[in-house]
């Protein structure tokens, strides 16, 4: 079940965790309840989920892995999880939602667990609009990394006059 983040954006957690797509999407949609990592953490609580930048080779590989997990491990009808996702339907290089880390485990019954360490997630929520942010490794303070769109010109540019 997808839950939309309803708090003011100013209340978003300071720390973010960058996750490649389509895994980030699966987290914030509430399907994926474990984030697999090779490293442990003492971090607990609500964190922002950052969808990393688009890299074709990474996305193609991760999409294949995602499809394998869904087809081999997710019981049909148990969760409305699509077996494949399209890059055009996903956000990249942005904070896309939040999730609460409640534990870290090396064993779990979740069909999404296949890492050395699994960050156990609850309270997954998707943002109504993604926030463009340059990612980083590990947990990072995303606010100084926010990508600000240039301000539109206050007045329209005048057309260049005749060159001749």
């Amino acid at each position: 079940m997808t839950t939309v983040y309803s708090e003011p954006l100013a209340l978003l957690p300071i720390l973010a965790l960058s996750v490649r797509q389509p895994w980030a999407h699966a987290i914030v949609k509430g399907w994926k309840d474990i984030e697999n990592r090779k490293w442990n953490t003492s971090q607990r609580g609500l964190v922002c989920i950052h969808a990393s930048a688009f890299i074709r080779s990474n996305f193609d590989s991760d999409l294949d892995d995602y499809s394998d997990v869904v087809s081999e491990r997710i019981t049909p009808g148990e969760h409305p999880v699509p077996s494949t996702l399209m890059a055009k339907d996903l956000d990249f290089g942005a904070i896309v939602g939040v999730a609460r880390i409640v534990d870290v485990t090396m064993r779990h019954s979740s069909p999404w667990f296949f890492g050395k360490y699994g960050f156990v997630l609850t309270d997954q929520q998707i943002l109504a609009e993604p926030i463009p942010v340059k990612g980083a490794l590990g947990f990072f303070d995303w606010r100084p990394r926010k990508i600000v769109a240039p301000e539109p010109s206050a007045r329209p540019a005048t057309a260049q006059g005749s060159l001749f």
Side-chain angles (χ1 to χ4, degrees):
M1 181 173 108
T2 303
T3 303
V4 178
Y5 183 79
S6 60
E7 297 292 324
L9 294 181
L11 296 180
L12 281 170
I14 292 171
L15 291 181
L17 180 63
S18 196
V19 179
R20 292 183 349 196
Q21 289 288 28
W23 308 110
H25 183 75
I27 289 171
V28 300
K29 292 290 279 185
W31 308 328
K32 188 172 188 271
D33 56 357
I34 296 277
E35 171 53 18
N36 298 285
R37 295 289 159 147
K38 293 178 181 174
W39 46 273
N40 198 353
T41 184
S42 60
Q43 177 66 43
R44 301 295 187 273
L46 202 63
V47 296
C48 288
I49 301 299
H50 174 266
S52 61
F54 180 80
I55 299 172
R56 169 61 64 190
S57 60
N58 288 348
F59 179 72
D60 289 345
S61 173
D62 287 335
L63 188 58
D64 287 344
D65 291 343
Y66 168 88
S67 295
D68 289 346
V69 169
V70 171
S71 66
E72 295 172 11
R73 298 178 179 216
I74 306 296
T75 305
E78 185 176 301
H79 300 286
V81 180
S83 61
T84 190
L85 297 166
M86 304 293 291
K88 67 179 182 60
D89 298 325
L90 303 173
D91 295 300
F92 294 86
I95 300 295
V96 294
V98 297
R100 185 175 311 281
I101 300 172
V102 296
D103 196 10
V104 177
T105 186
M106 294 179 76
R107 286 192 183 139
H108 203 279
S109 61
S110 171
W112 297 100
F113 178 73
F114 47 86
K116 181 171 183 178
Y117 295 100
F119 298 0
V120 181
L121 307 174
T122 64
D123 302 329
Q124 300 99 311
Q125 301 168 57
I126 192 168
L127 293 183
E129 290 293 326
I131 302 169
V133 169
K134 182 174 173 45
L137 296 176
F139 291 97
F140 64 97
D141 180 350
W142 64 271
R143 293 176 195 270
R145 303 177 70 83
K146 187 174 176 183
I147 299 169
V148 180
E151 290 291 322
S153 177
R155 56 188 164 89
T158 57
Q160 184 174 5
S162 173
L163 295 176
F164 303 103

mmCIF file of all heavy atoms in Angstrom, residues 60-106:
data_model
loop_
_atom_site.group_PDB
_atom_site.id
_atom_site.type_symbol
_atom_site.label_atom_id
_atom_site.label_comp_id
_atom_site.label_asym_id
_atom_site.label_seq_id
_atom_site.Cartn_x
_atom_site.Cartn_y
_atom_site.Cartn_z
ATOM 1 N N ASP A 60 19.883 -1.322 -15.951
ATOM 2 C CA ASP A 60 19.531 -2.558 -16.655
ATOM 3 C C ASP A 60 19.801 -3.780 -15.776
ATOM 4 O O ASP A 60 18.976 -4.685 -15.679
ATOM 5 C CB ASP A 60 20.298 -2.671 -17.975
ATOM 6 C CG ASP A 60 19.816 -1.673 -19.023
ATOM 7 O OD1 ASP A 60 18.721 -1.099 -18.847
ATOM 8 O OD2 ASP A 60 20.545 -1.474 -20.013
ATOM 9 N N SER A 61 20.949 -3.793 -15.113
ATOM 10 C CA SER A 61 21.305 -4.906 -14.232
ATOM 11 C C SER A 61 20.359 -4.985 -13.033
ATOM 12 O O SER A 61 19.865 -6.059 -12.681
ATOM 13 C CB SER A 61 22.748 -4.739 -13.745
ATOM 14 O OG SER A 61 23.064 -5.707 -12.785
ATOM 15 N N ASP A 62 20.101 -3.838 -12.398
ATOM 16 C CA ASP A 62 19.210 -3.814 -11.236
ATOM 17 C C ASP A 62 17.785 -4.176 -11.620
ATOM 18 O O ASP A 62 17.080 -4.833 -10.849
ATOM 19 C CB ASP A 62 19.248 -2.443 -10.556
ATOM 20 C CG ASP A 62 20.546 -2.205 -9.804
ATOM 21 O OD1 ASP A 62 21.190 -3.186 -9.398
ATOM 22 O OD2 ASP A 62 20.915 -1.034 -9.619
ATOM 23 N N LEU A 63 17.347 -3.769 -12.795
ATOM 24 C CA LEU A 63 15.998 -4.110 -13.243
ATOM 25 C C LEU A 63 15.861 -5.621 -13.459
ATOM 26 O O LEU A 63 14.848 -6.214 -13.087
ATOM 27 C CB LEU A 63 15.636 -3.346 -14.518
ATOM 28 C CG LEU A 63 14.184 -3.470 -14.962
ATOM 29 C CD1 LEU A 63 13.222 -2.987 -13.875
ATOM 30 C CD2 LEU A 63 13.967 -2.678 -16.243
ATOM 31 N N ASP A 64 16.904 -6.244 -14.014
ATOM 32 C CA ASP A 64 16.900 -7.703 -14.166
ATOM 33 C C ASP A 64 16.819 -8.381 -12.800
ATOM 34 O O ASP A 64 16.035 -9.314 -12.601
ATOM 35 C CB ASP A 64 18.156 -8.189 -14.896
ATOM 36 C CG ASP A 64 18.137 -7.871 -16.389
ATOM 37 O OD1 ASP A 64 17.053 -7.553 -16.927
ATOM 38 O OD2 ASP A 64 19.225 -7.926 -17.007
ATOM 39 N N ASP A 65 17.629 -7.898 -11.842
ATOM 40 C CA ASP A 65 17.611 -8.470 -10.494
ATOM 41 C C ASP A 65 16.253 -8.270 -9.836
ATOM 42 O O ASP A 65 15.723 -9.172 -9.187
ATOM 43 C CB ASP A 65 18.707 -7.847 -9.623
ATOM 44 C CG ASP A 65 20.106 -8.244 -10.063
ATOM 45 O OD1 ASP A 65 20.250 -9.228 -10.815
ATOM 46 O OD2 ASP A 65 21.059 -7.551 -9.650
ATOM 47 N N TYR A 66 15.689 -7.072 -9.991
ATOM 48 C CA TYR A 66 14.371 -6.764 -9.430
ATOM 49 C C TYR A 66 13.316 -7.727 -9.994
ATOM 50 O O TYR A 66 12.534 -8.310 -9.247
ATOM 51 C CB TYR A 66 14.004 -5.310 -9.748
ATOM 52 C CG TYR A 66 12.557 -4.960 -9.471
ATOM 53 C CD1 TYR A 66 12.159 -4.528 -8.217
ATOM 54 C CD2 TYR A 66 11.595 -5.067 -10.472
ATOM 55 C CE1 TYR A 66 10.830 -4.211 -7.959
ATOM 56 C CE2 TYR A 66 10.268 -4.751 -10.225
ATOM 57 C CZ TYR A 66 9.895 -4.317 -8.968
ATOM 58 O OH TYR A 66 8.576 -4.017 -8.714
ATOM 59 N N SER A 67 13.323 -7.910 -11.305
ATOM 60 C CA SER A 67 12.359 -8.808 -11.951
ATOM 61 C C SER A 67 12.512 -10.235 -11.442
ATOM 62 O O SER A 67 11.519 -10.932 -11.209
ATOM 63 C CB SER A 67 12.518 -8.767 -13.470
ATOM 64 O OG SER A 67 12.199 -7.492 -13.956
ATOM 65 N N ASP A 68 13.762 -10.672 -11.241
ATOM 66 C CA ASP A 68 14.011 -12.015 -10.706
ATOM 67 C C ASP A 68 13.443 -12.150 -9.292
ATOM 68 O O ASP A 68 12.796 -13.156 -8.973
ATOM 69 C CB ASP A 68 15.509 -12.340 -10.690
ATOM 70 C CG ASP A 68 16.081 -12.559 -12.081
ATOM 71 O OD1 ASP A 68 15.297 -12.729 -13.049
ATOM 72 O OD2 ASP A 68 17.327 -12.537 -12.208
ATOM 73 N N VAL A 69 13.688 -11.157 -8.455
ATOM 74 C CA VAL A 69 13.183 -11.208 -7.076
ATOM 75 C C VAL A 69 11.666 -11.286 -7.079
ATOM 76 O O VAL A 69 11.069 -12.119 -6.389
ATOM 77 C CB VAL A 69 13.662 -9.984 -6.259
ATOM 78 C CG1 VAL A 69 12.919 -9.891 -4.926
ATOM 79 C CG2 VAL A 69 15.162 -10.047 -6.027
ATOM 80 N N VAL A 70 11.015 -10.428 -7.861
ATOM 81 C CA VAL A 70 9.554 -10.403 -7.881
ATOM 82 C C VAL A 70 9.000 -11.723 -8.397
ATOM 83 O O VAL A 70 8.076 -12.291 -7.811
ATOM 84 C CB VAL A 70 9.022 -9.209 -8.710
ATOM 85 C CG1 VAL A 70 7.521 -9.312 -8.902
ATOM 86 C CG2 VAL A 70 9.385 -7.894 -8.022
ATOM 87 N N SER A 71 9.572 -12.243 -9.475
ATOM 88 C CA SER A 71 9.020 -13.474 -10.054
ATOM 89 C C SER A 71 9.334 -14.710 -9.220
ATOM 90 O O SER A 71 8.550 -15.654 -9.195
ATOM 91 C CB SER A 71 9.510 -13.658 -11.490
ATOM 92 O OG SER A 71 10.898 -13.872 -11.518
ATOM 93 N N GLU A 72 10.468 -14.731 -8.520
ATOM 94 C CA GLU A 72 10.874 -15.923 -7.778
ATOM 95 C C GLU A 72 10.506 -15.897 -6.299
ATOM 96 O O GLU A 72 10.381 -16.941 -5.681
ATOM 97 C CB GLU A 72 12.391 -16.117 -7.909
ATOM 98 C CG GLU A 72 12.826 -16.417 -9.322
ATOM 99 C CD GLU A 72 14.343 -16.410 -9.489
ATOM 100 O OE1 GLU A 72 15.065 -16.367 -8.466
ATOM 101 O OE2 GLU A 72 14.795 -16.446 -10.649
ATOM 102 N N ARG A 73 10.350 -14.715 -5.718
ATOM 103 C CA ARG A 73 10.195 -14.639 -4.267
ATOM 104 C C ARG A 73 8.876 -14.046 -3.788
ATOM 105 O O ARG A 73 8.489 -14.281 -2.653
ATOM 106 C CB ARG A 73 11.336 -13.807 -3.670
ATOM 107 C CG ARG A 73 12.698 -14.409 -3.909
ATOM 108 C CD ARG A 73 13.743 -13.508 -3.331
ATOM 109 N NE ARG A 73 15.076 -14.052 -3.502
ATOM 110 C CZ ARG A 73 16.029 -13.926 -2.605
ATOM 111 N NH1 ARG A 73 15.822 -13.286 -1.497
ATOM 112 N NH2 ARG A 73 17.211 -14.440 -2.841
ATOM 113 N N ILE A 74 8.221 -13.237 -4.605
ATOM 114 C CA ILE A 74 6.989 -12.575 -4.177
ATOM 115 C C ILE A 74 5.801 -13.442 -4.565
ATOM 116 O O ILE A 74 5.639 -13.794 -5.735
ATOM 117 C CB ILE A 74 6.850 -11.171 -4.807
ATOM 118 C CG1 ILE A 74 8.087 -10.321 -4.522
ATOM 119 C CG2 ILE A 74 5.575 -10.490 -4.339
ATOM 120 C CD1 ILE A 74 8.325 -10.001 -3.067
ATOM 121 N N THR A 75 4.975 -13.765 -3.602
ATOM 122 C CA THR A 75 3.786 -14.580 -3.862
ATOM 123 C C THR A 75 2.766 -13.754 -4.626
ATOM 124 O O THR A 75 2.384 -12.670 -4.167
ATOM 125 C CB THR A 75 3.169 -15.063 -2.528
ATOM 126 O OG1 THR A 75 4.187 -15.731 -1.782
ATOM 127 C CG2 THR A 75 1.995 -15.973 -2.774
ATOM 128 N N PRO A 76 2.330 -14.214 -5.800
ATOM 129 C CA PRO A 76 1.342 -13.451 -6.578
ATOM 130 C C PRO A 76 0.084 -13.181 -5.744
ATOM 131 O O PRO A 76 -0.391 -14.027 -5.015
ATOM 132 C CB PRO A 76 1.021 -14.368 -7.760
ATOM 133 C CG PRO A 76 2.193 -15.290 -7.857
ATOM 134 C CD PRO A 76 2.703 -15.459 -6.455
ATOM 135 N N GLY A 77 -0.400 -11.976 -5.829
ATOM 136 C CA GLY A 77 -1.596 -11.584 -5.101
ATOM 137 C C GLY A 77 -1.314 -11.142 -3.676
ATOM 138 O O GLY A 77 -2.131 -10.485 -3.055
ATOM 139 N N GLU A 78 -0.122 -11.500 -3.150
ATOM 140 C CA GLU A 78 0.227 -11.110 -1.782
ATOM 141 C C GLU A 78 0.461 -9.603 -1.701
ATOM 142 O O GLU A 78 0.034 -8.943 -0.771
ATOM 143 C CB GLU A 78 1.479 -11.869 -1.343
ATOM 144 C CG GLU A 78 1.869 -11.652 0.093
ATOM 145 C CD GLU A 78 3.061 -12.526 0.471
ATOM 146 O OE1 GLU A 78 2.945 -13.762 0.364
ATOM 147 O OE2 GLU A 78 4.090 -11.960 0.844
ATOM 148 N N HIS A 79 1.164 -9.100 -2.665
ATOM 149 C CA HIS A 79 1.440 -7.664 -2.764
ATOM 150 C C HIS A 79 1.283 -7.265 -4.222
ATOM 151 O O HIS A 79 1.711 -7.998 -5.103
ATOM 152 C CB HIS A 79 2.866 -7.351 -2.309
ATOM 153 C CG HIS A 79 3.148 -7.732 -0.895
ATOM 154 N ND1 HIS A 79 2.668 -7.022 0.169
ATOM 155 C CD2 HIS A 79 3.849 -8.764 -0.372
ATOM 156 C CE1 HIS A 79 3.077 -7.599 1.297
ATOM 157 N NE2 HIS A 79 3.790 -8.648 0.989
ATOM 158 N N PRO A 80 0.698 -6.111 -4.486
ATOM 159 C CA PRO A 80 0.560 -5.667 -5.888
ATOM 160 C C PRO A 80 1.879 -5.090 -6.409
ATOM 161 O O PRO A 80 2.022 -3.900 -6.586
ATOM 162 C CB PRO A 80 -0.530 -4.609 -5.802
ATOM 163 C CG PRO A 80 -0.388 -4.040 -4.419
ATOM 164 C CD PRO A 80 0.081 -5.188 -3.546
ATOM 165 N N VAL A 81 2.856 -5.962 -6.602
ATOM 166 C CA VAL A 81 4.186 -5.541 -7.030
ATOM 167 C C VAL A 81 4.358 -5.860 -8.506
ATOM 168 O O VAL A 81 4.291 -7.034 -8.890
ATOM 169 C CB VAL A 81 5.273 -6.272 -6.204
ATOM 170 C CG1 VAL A 81 6.657 -5.839 -6.631
ATOM 171 C CG2 VAL A 81 5.069 -6.034 -4.719
ATOM 172 N N PRO A 82 4.586 -4.858 -9.352
ATOM 173 C CA PRO A 82 4.800 -5.152 -10.775
ATOM 174 C C PRO A 82 6.123 -5.886 -10.986
ATOM 175 O O PRO A 82 7.096 -5.626 -10.294
ATOM 176 C CB PRO A 82 4.816 -3.771 -11.424
ATOM 177 C CG PRO A 82 5.158 -2.822 -10.336
ATOM 178 C CD PRO A 82 4.658 -3.433 -9.056
ATOM 179 N N SER A 83 6.129 -6.786 -11.955
ATOM 180 C CA SER A 83 7.338 -7.572 -12.194
ATOM 181 C C SER A 83 8.404 -6.791 -12.945
ATOM 182 O O SER A 83 9.564 -7.190 -12.960
ATOM 183 C CB SER A 83 6.999 -8.849 -12.959
ATOM 184 O OG SER A 83 6.434 -8.522 -14.199
ATOM 185 N N THR A 84 8.037 -5.701 -13.553
ATOM 186 C CA THR A 84 9.032 -4.860 -14.216
ATOM 187 C C THR A 84 8.577 -3.403 -14.140
ATOM 188 O O THR A 84 7.394 -3.113 -13.958
ATOM 189 C CB THR A 84 9.260 -5.289 -15.682
ATOM 190 O OG1 THR A 84 10.399 -4.590 -16.201
ATOM 191 C CG2 THR A 84 8.053 -5.033 -16.547
ATOM 192 N N LEU A 85 9.547 -2.525 -14.237
ATOM 193 C CA LEU A 85 9.290 -1.087 -14.205
ATOM 194 C C LEU A 85 10.072 -0.453 -15.340
ATOM 195 O O LEU A 85 11.120 -0.960 -15.737
ATOM 196 C CB LEU A 85 9.732 -0.496 -12.860
ATOM 197 C CG LEU A 85 8.993 -1.020 -11.628
ATOM 198 C CD1 LEU A 85 9.740 -0.627 -10.356
ATOM 199 C CD2 LEU A 85 7.582 -0.463 -11.583
ATOM 200 N N MET A 86 9.584 0.663 -15.834
ATOM 201 C CA MET A 86 10.256 1.362 -16.927
ATOM 202 C C MET A 86 10.992 2.581 -16.378
ATOM 203 O O MET A 86 10.474 3.274 -15.496
ATOM 204 C CB MET A 86 9.237 1.819 -17.966
ATOM 205 C CG MET A 86 8.375 0.703 -18.525
ATOM 206 S SD MET A 86 9.318 -0.459 -19.501
ATOM 207 C CE MET A 86 9.708 0.543 -20.905
ATOM 208 N N ALA A 87 12.182 2.855 -16.905
ATOM 209 C CA ALA A 87 12.972 3.997 -16.453
ATOM 210 C C ALA A 87 12.184 5.300 -16.574
ATOM 211 O O ALA A 87 12.264 6.158 -15.703
ATOM 212 C CB ALA A 87 14.272 4.090 -17.242
ATOM 213 N N LYS A 88 11.375 5.428 -17.619
ATOM 214 C CA LYS A 88 10.617 6.668 -17.832
ATOM 215 C C LYS A 88 9.583 6.912 -16.730
ATOM 216 O O LYS A 88 9.134 8.038 -16.539
ATOM 217 C CB LYS A 88 9.946 6.669 -19.205
ATOM 218 C CG LYS A 88 8.841 5.633 -19.358
ATOM 219 C CD LYS A 88 8.201 5.697 -20.739
ATOM 220 C CE LYS A 88 7.082 4.721 -20.919
ATOM 221 N NZ LYS A 88 5.978 4.855 -20.020
ATOM 222 N N ASP A 89 9.226 5.870 -15.982
ATOM 223 C CA ASP A 89 8.229 5.995 -14.926
ATOM 224 C C ASP A 89 8.854 6.199 -13.546
ATOM 225 O O ASP A 89 8.133 6.283 -12.548
ATOM 226 C CB ASP A 89 7.342 4.745 -14.887
ATOM 227 C CG ASP A 89 6.582 4.559 -16.185
ATOM 228 O OD1 ASP A 89 6.190 5.570 -16.806
ATOM 229 O OD2 ASP A 89 6.403 3.388 -16.597
ATOM 230 N N LEU A 90 10.176 6.262 -13.484
ATOM 231 C CA LEU A 90 10.884 6.390 -12.211
ATOM 232 C C LEU A 90 11.607 7.724 -12.135
ATOM 233 O O LEU A 90 11.910 8.339 -13.152
ATOM 234 C CB LEU A 90 11.894 5.245 -12.063
ATOM 235 C CG LEU A 90 11.317 3.840 -12.140
ATOM 236 C CD1 LEU A 90 12.444 2.810 -12.151
ATOM 237 C CD2 LEU A 90 10.365 3.581 -10.991
ATOM 238 N N ASP A 91 11.893 8.141 -10.916
ATOM 239 C CA ASP A 91 12.656 9.367 -10.693
ATOM 240 C C ASP A 91 14.097 8.999 -10.368
ATOM 241 O O ASP A 91 14.359 7.995 -9.697
ATOM 242 C CB ASP A 91 12.050 10.162 -9.538
ATOM 243 C CG ASP A 91 10.648 10.649 -9.864
ATOM 244 O OD1 ASP A 91 10.517 11.397 -10.848
ATOM 245 O OD2 ASP A 91 9.699 10.268 -9.156
ATOM 246 N N PHE A 92 15.025 9.814 -10.821
ATOM 247 C CA PHE A 92 16.453 9.592 -10.599
ATOM 248 C C PHE A 92 17.072 10.875 -10.078
ATOM 249 O O PHE A 92 16.636 11.967 -10.430
ATOM 250 C CB PHE A 92 17.141 9.193 -11.907
ATOM 251 C CG PHE A 92 16.698 7.859 -12.439
ATOM 252 C CD1 PHE A 92 15.573 7.752 -13.252
ATOM 253 C CD2 PHE A 92 17.401 6.706 -12.118
ATOM 254 C CE1 PHE A 92 15.156 6.521 -13.738
ATOM 255 C CE2 PHE A 92 16.986 5.468 -12.603
ATOM 256 C CZ PHE A 92 15.872 5.376 -13.406
ATOM 257 N N GLY A 93 18.103 10.747 -9.250
ATOM 258 C CA GLY A 93 18.809 11.917 -8.744
ATOM 259 C C GLY A 93 17.930 12.793 -7.876
ATOM 260 O O GLY A 93 18.000 14.012 -7.979
ATOM 261 N N ALA A 94 17.137 12.167 -6.991
ATOM 262 C CA ALA A 94 16.185 12.947 -6.197
ATOM 263 C C ALA A 94 15.798 12.214 -4.919
ATOM 264 O O ALA A 94 15.839 10.984 -4.856
ATOM 265 C CB ALA A 94 14.928 13.215 -7.019
ATOM 266 N N ILE A 95 15.403 13.001 -3.924
ATOM 267 C CA ILE A 95 14.762 12.441 -2.741
ATOM 268 C C ILE A 95 13.358 12.059 -3.196
ATOM 269 O O ILE A 95 12.617 12.891 -3.708
ATOM 270 C CB ILE A 95 14.687 13.472 -1.589
ATOM 271 C CG1 ILE A 95 16.079 13.950 -1.168
ATOM 272 C CG2 ILE A 95 13.900 12.902 -0.404
ATOM 273 C CD1 ILE A 95 16.970 12.897 -0.557
ATOM 274 N N VAL A 96 13.002 10.778 -3.032
ATOM 275 C CA VAL A 96 11.714 10.293 -3.525
ATOM 276 C C VAL A 96 10.758 9.875 -2.407
ATOM 277 O O VAL A 96 9.588 9.621 -2.662
ATOM 278 C CB VAL A 96 11.887 9.138 -4.529
ATOM 279 C CG1 VAL A 96 12.577 9.633 -5.801
ATOM 280 C CG2 VAL A 96 12.645 7.965 -3.917
ATOM 281 N N GLY A 97 11.262 9.794 -1.186
ATOM 282 C CA GLY A 97 10.395 9.398 -0.086
ATOM 283 C C GLY A 97 11.177 9.233 1.197
ATOM 284 O O GLY A 97 12.333 9.675 1.305
ATOM 285 N N VAL A 98 10.531 8.605 2.168
ATOM 286 C CA VAL A 98 11.141 8.350 3.470
ATOM 287 C C VAL A 98 10.838 6.916 3.897
ATOM 288 O O VAL A 98 9.891 6.298 3.410
ATOM 289 C CB VAL A 98 10.636 9.323 4.558
ATOM 290 C CG1 VAL A 98 11.011 10.760 4.237
ATOM 291 C CG2 VAL A 98 9.131 9.192 4.764
ATOM 292 N N ALA A 99 11.661 6.425 4.815
ATOM 293 C CA ALA A 99 11.430 5.116 5.432
ATOM 294 C C ALA A 99 12.084 5.145 6.815
ATOM 295 O O ALA A 99 13.063 5.868 7.037
ATOM 296 C CB ALA A 99 12.016 3.991 4.588
ATOM 297 N N ARG A 100 11.534 4.371 7.719
ATOM 298 C CA ARG A 100 12.073 4.277 9.073
ATOM 299 C C ARG A 100 12.910 3.000 9.189
ATOM 300 O O ARG A 100 12.414 1.905 8.923
ATOM 301 C CB ARG A 100 10.935 4.259 10.093
ATOM 302 C CG ARG A 100 11.389 4.286 11.544
ATOM 303 C CD ARG A 100 10.217 4.395 12.501
ATOM 304 N NE ARG A 100 9.293 5.458 12.147
ATOM 305 C CZ ARG A 100 9.466 6.759 12.394
ATOM 306 N NH1 ARG A 100 10.571 7.167 12.990
ATOM 307 N NH2 ARG A 100 8.552 7.636 12.035
ATOM 308 N N ILE A 101 14.175 3.157 9.594
ATOM 309 C CA ILE A 101 15.041 2.005 9.862
ATOM 310 C C ILE A 101 14.807 1.604 11.316
ATOM 311 O O ILE A 101 15.042 2.400 12.227
ATOM 312 C CB ILE A 101 16.528 2.341 9.619
ATOM 313 C CG1 ILE A 101 16.743 2.771 8.172
ATOM 314 C CG2 ILE A 101 17.415 1.143 9.977
ATOM 315 C CD1 ILE A 101 18.141 3.296 7.885
ATOM 316 N N VAL A 102 14.316 0.381 11.505
ATOM 317 C CA VAL A 102 14.008 -0.075 12.856
ATOM 318 C C VAL A 102 14.978 -1.140 13.360
ATOM 319 O O VAL A 102 15.017 -1.421 14.559
ATOM 320 C CB VAL A 102 12.546 -0.592 12.970
ATOM 321 C CG1 VAL A 102 11.564 0.544 12.722
ATOM 322 C CG2 VAL A 102 12.293 -1.749 12.030
ATOM 323 N N ASP A 103 15.767 -1.707 12.448
ATOM 324 C CA ASP A 103 16.700 -2.751 12.858
ATOM 325 C C ASP A 103 17.663 -3.015 11.705
ATOM 326 O O ASP A 103 17.413 -2.616 10.560
ATOM 327 C CB ASP A 103 15.933 -4.041 13.191
ATOM 328 C CG ASP A 103 16.757 -5.049 13.987
ATOM 329 O OD1 ASP A 103 17.866 -4.696 14.450
ATOM 330 O OD2 ASP A 103 16.292 -6.193 14.140
ATOM 331 N N VAL A 104 18.748 -3.695 12.020
ATOM 332 C CA VAL A 104 19.659 -4.219 11.007
ATOM 333 C C VAL A 104 19.849 -5.687 11.342
ATOM 334 O O VAL A 104 20.061 -6.052 12.497
ATOM 335 C CB VAL A 104 21.022 -3.492 11.005
ATOM 336 C CG1 VAL A 104 21.966 -4.111 9.994
ATOM 337 C CG2 VAL A 104 20.837 -2.009 10.709
ATOM 338 N N THR A 105 19.741 -6.534 10.328
ATOM 339 C CA THR A 105 19.789 -7.971 10.555
ATOM 340 C C THR A 105 20.681 -8.641 9.528
ATOM 341 O O THR A 105 20.948 -8.087 8.466
ATOM 342 C CB THR A 105 18.361 -8.560 10.513
ATOM 343 O OG1 THR A 105 18.414 -9.933 10.867
ATOM 344 C CG2 THR A 105 17.733 -8.397 9.143
ATOM 345 N N MET A 106 21.113 -9.845 9.869
ATOM 346 C CA MET A 106 21.866 -10.658 8.918
ATOM 347 C C MET A 106 21.033 -11.842 8.446
ATOM 348 O O MET A 106 21.489 -12.628 7.614
ATOM 349 C CB MET A 106 23.184 -11.122 9.542
ATOM 350 C CG MET A 106 24.121 -9.951 9.817
ATOM 351 S SD MET A 106 25.677 -10.429 10.577
ATOM 352 C CE MET A 106 26.525 -11.108 9.156
#
